[in-house]
Amino acid sequence: MILITGATGFLGKEVLGRLLVRGATDKIFTLVRKTKEREAQSELEIQREILLSIFPEEEASKYQDKLQVIFGDIKEENFGIGLGSFQELAAKTDAVYHLAAVTNLGSSLIEARENNLQGTLNVLSFCHASKENQARKSPIKLFHVSTA
């Protein structure tokens, strides 16, 4: 299983699309921040929105069972999904593609640090949480993309 952060961004959509087409795994989870614009949307509606931003409608439907959206935030401890869910997700994950970041170089330093530094530290904690699972044979692979 793969976890992708930043799947709603330009690079994230590109990576997600390629992983889905390649059949890299049976299931891909993507962590999506709940914003004011997404307040009324369900995880299934966001999933459909993401898939339609990558593929034509006929092709997008092929991948509905492979992609699952989880509302959370990399800036928050345990991604804001609760410790139990955080640990359960970590136990199932084989690889993380950490692509979420503030890329606007005009952003405040505080916002950039919260997302780019604290977010990355929280992703590393996620990878470490899986290591604490005694049944796990290998650590989570981490693929990380960063900005300036």
Side-chain angles (χ1 to χ4, degrees):
M1 205 254 339
I2 293 173
L3 174 68
I4 297 181
T5 67
T8 58
F10 177 79
L11 181 61
K13 288 177 188 175
E14 186 65 30
V15 171
L16 175 59
R18 288 173 188 238
L19 290 170
L20 287 168
V21 168
R22 251 187 29 203
T25 185
D26 291 337
K27 191 68 137 181
I28 297 176
F29 288 87
T30 182
L31 196 65
V32 175
R33 189 171 16 116
K34 191 90 158 169
T35 61
K36 286 185 181 183
E37 296 83 27
R38 295 185 188 122
E39 197 65 44
Q41 290 181 293
S42 70
E43 291 168 338
L44 284 175
E45 290 171 318
I46 303 261
Q47 175 212 50
R48 181 163 171 70
E49 186 179 294
I50 291 169
L51 289 172
L52 288 174
S53 71
I54 301 169
F55 303 108
E57 191 163 349
E58 314 78 53
E59 196 174 348
S61 63
K62 290 192 316 189
Y63 300 111
Q64 284 180 322
D65 292 338
K66 290 191 174 275
L67 180 64
Q68 183 173 336
V69 170
I70 300 170
F71 285 129
D73 193 332
I74 61 167
K75 296 181 300 189
E76 295 182 30
E77 183 178 12
N78 302 321
F79 299 150
I81 63 173
L83 180 60
S85 296
F86 182 82
Q87 290 174 331
E88 184 180 328
L89 185 61
K92 292 190 250 182
T93 301
D94 300 309
V96 174
Y97 288 77
H98 178 42
L99 311 171
V102 169
T103 58
N104 178 351
L105 298 179
S107 304
S108 74
L109 185 57
I110 292 170
E111 182 184 10
R113 280 185 178 156
E114 284 177 345
N115 284 278
N116 299 353
L117 179 61
Q118 189 59 52
T120 300
L121 289 172
N122 289 341
V123 169
L124 289 169
S125 291
F126 176 80
C127 292
H128 184 72
S130 77
K131 189 177 175 186
E132 294 170 359
N133 180 347
Q134 298 299 325
R136 186 169 197 87
K137 294 182 179 166
S138 62
I140 291 177
K141 295 178 183 106
L142 175 62
F143 302 92
H144 178 239
V145 176
S146 184
T147 59

